Each structure stands twice: as structure tokens, then as C-alpha cells.
Amino acid sequence: MLTQKLQDALNEQINREFFSEYLYLAMSAYFESVELEGFANYFNVQAQEEHFHAMKMFNFVHDKGGRVYLKALPEPKNEYQSVIGTIEESLEHERFITESINKLMDIAIKENDHSVISFLKWYVDEQVEEEATLTKLVAKMKMINGEGLGLLTIDTELLSRKFDLAAEKAGA
Ligand code: OFO
């Protein structure tokens, strides 16, 4: 069983993970609109990962005998001014998500629920990876000034990113 407080906090986080999916789809659509297929693919794959994060938590709440309540999603930002600015905003968003996972973990510790603590460790580690990947991408973008041949080279590199459900589950 989950305490009411933990169930509410997990439901909030499920909403944030689905919002992340929505936000990254909006970023993917922006990149499609400026013909940067690799960046569009990168954020499309990221959106699929976020869906996985949300569903992993959705299923966990049920496994714990809890109740999932889905809430409305805010409208994501659809217009972006630059490639580098968009990546920076995604990094900012991941920092916010890291903070919210940390707060959720604080609640699990306070409620002394070891199964939730153990479950959330996966998200804590995942956030390290999420922030590191985007930090490196921002650094690369700064090296090339966010434009020209460098931009097209990175765009081509990002085309190869794929969502691998089996690998995600294996890491689960
Ligand atoms: Fe779910 O990690 Fe990004 O938001």
C-alpha cells in the first residue's frame, strides 16, 4: 500500500513525465519545421523515453495497490528561436525534473517506504544520464556556434538515435 501523500506525489510525477513527452514532441515538431531531421529524431526518441518513464511509474503505482489519477497536461511551448536555445531549454527542463524526483525521493524517505525508495533510484540515475547527455550537446553546439556545417554534421549524427524498448526495460 502507498500512503496518500506518496500516491499523490507519484501521480504528480506521472503527469510531469507525460508533460516531458509532450514538450519533447513539440520540440521535435519545431525541428521538423526548420528541416533539421536529426534534431527532430533526437527529440522524438526522447519523447518515447519519457512515455516509458511515465508508464513505468504508472505500472508501479498499480503494483503497489495504488490508484493512478491522470491530470490535464499544460500546453507545451511550440515556438523556439534557435537550435541552441531549444537544447538549453530542454536541459533546463531536465534540471527541473531532477529536482522533482529528488523531492519525491524525500517524501518516500520520510514515509519510510523502502520499495518506493528502491524504485525511485532508477529515476535518480536516469536523471544523471539525461542531464549529462544534454550538457554535452549544449557544449558541442557552443563549439560550432550553433550553425553552419557543424550544425549539419551534428544533425546527421542525431539521425541515428533510436528508441530501444528492450534496452530500456533491461535497465529497468
Ligand atoms: Fe523522464 O526524464 Fe526527462 O524529463
Side-chain angles (χ1 to χ4, degrees):
M1 278 300 286
L2 292 166
T3 62
Q4 189 64 45
K5 197 168 182 186
L6 256 180
Q7 177 172 293
D8 291 348
L10 285 162
N11 271 302
E12 283 296 331
Q13 190 61 35
I14 289 170
N15 181 266
R16 288 191 189 112
E17 299 292 344
F18 278 127
F19 175 71
S20 299
E21 177 183 9
Y22 216 32
L23 176 66
Y24 292 144
L25 277 178
M27 288 182 177
S28 179
Y30 159 72
F31 285 121
E32 288 283 354
S33 78
V34 292
E35 308 297 346
L36 287 167
E37 270 182 88
F39 285 90
N41 175 61
Y42 181 91
F43 281 99
N44 187 307
V45 170
Q46 192 58 39
Q48 293 176 66
E49 283 204 3
E50 298 302 347
H51 186 80
F52 176 78
H53 298 171
M55 289 309 297
K56 187 178 166 77
M57 202 168 279
F58 179 99
N59 292 330
F60 176 76
V61 169
H62 292 145
D63 287 346
K64 287 284 292 173
R67 177 73 160 94
V68 170
Y69 292 98
L70 295 178
K71 299 171 199 300
L73 295 174
E75 183 175 322
K77 181 174 165 184
N78 281 291
E79 292 299 343
Y80 296 90
Q81 302 316 317
S82 69
V83 180
I84 194 160
T86 313
I87 312 292
E88 280 171 337
E89 283 188 43
S90 67
L91 175 57
E92 225 21 73
H93 178 69
E94 285 308 323
R95 288 182 176 142
F96 162 73
I97 293 293
T98 299
E99 207 179 302
S100 76
I101 292 286
N102 287 343
K103 283 184 186 151
L104 185 50
M105 181 65 108
D106 287 344
I107 297 171
I109 291 168
K110 253 196 198 142
E111 305 277 310
N112 202 28
D113 190 326
H114 290 260
S115 63
V116 178
I117 294 167
S118 172
F119 173 75
L120 289 177
K121 279 183 183 156
W122 183 88
Y123 288 84
V124 171
D125 295 342
E126 179 71 8
Q127 283 311 116
V128 174
E129 194 188 308
E130 301 267 83
E131 285 194 34
T133 307
L134 287 168
T135 301
K136 279 183 200 140
L137 191 52
V138 168
K140 274 194 189 175
M141 293 297 293
K142 283 186 177 159
M143 279 175 214
I144 57 151
N145 243 342
E147 56 187 25
L149 198 53
L151 177 63
L152 294 182
T153 306
I154 294 176
D155 189 55
T156 303
E157 275 174 22
L158 296 180
L159 259 184
S160 61
R161 187 181 188 206
K162 287 188 175 60
F163 179 68
D164 184 345
L165 183 61
E168 289 292 335
K169 282 191 171 162

